[in-house]
Amino acid sequence: MEYGCYVCNKIIKTGEKFTFTKEGPVHMDCFVAAERKKVPEGKAEYLRNLSMILDYELTMLVSLLSLKSEDKETSELIRRRINAIEKQAGETTGLIYNL
């Protein structure tokens, strides 16, 4: 599936870090830059920390998505980990979006 970033209007390529907000799919860097412009100065450090957390989560997600296994048990473990990290990244995205 192909997505377009609602901030820069470019296609999000396979392997790029991106997330979803109420407005749609967005590159992680575009999202953070846009939010940085809107966030009150007193929340700048919190945004910086949340951005690093989201970066770590999305880096792990991209890595896990590249893992393939013929073993059913391993494939299931990878799938569960992907789902868990997607949920965490979604929560982090929501925290940033609602700053």
Side-chain angles (χ1 to χ4, degrees), residues 22-69:
K22 294 174 185 174
E23 297 174 53
V26 61
H27 289 109
M28 190 202 90
D29 291 337
C30 293
F31 175 57
V32 171
E35 292 301 310
R36 191 175 294 126
K37 292 175 186 174
K38 297 188 279 185
V39 79
E41 193 174 313
K43 299 269 186 177
E45 184 176 347
Y46 188 49
L47 172 61
R48 209 171 11 262
N49 289 325
L50 286 173
S51 299
M52 286 190 292
I53 292 168
L54 183 60
D55 184 48
Y56 296 144
E57 291 166 341
L58 295 178
T59 298
M60 174 76 84
L61 189 57
V62 168
S63 296
L64 283 172
L65 287 167
S66 70
L67 287 179
K68 303 292 180 220
S69 177

Side-chain angles (χ1 to χ4, degrees), residues 73-89:
E73 186 177 1
T74 302
S75 293
E76 178 60 22
L77 175 63
I78 293 168
R79 186 191 65 73
R80 286 194 319 267
R81 292 295 187 258
I82 288 170
N83 288 342
I85 293 171
E86 284 177 336
K87 181 179 179 192
Q88 291 171 332

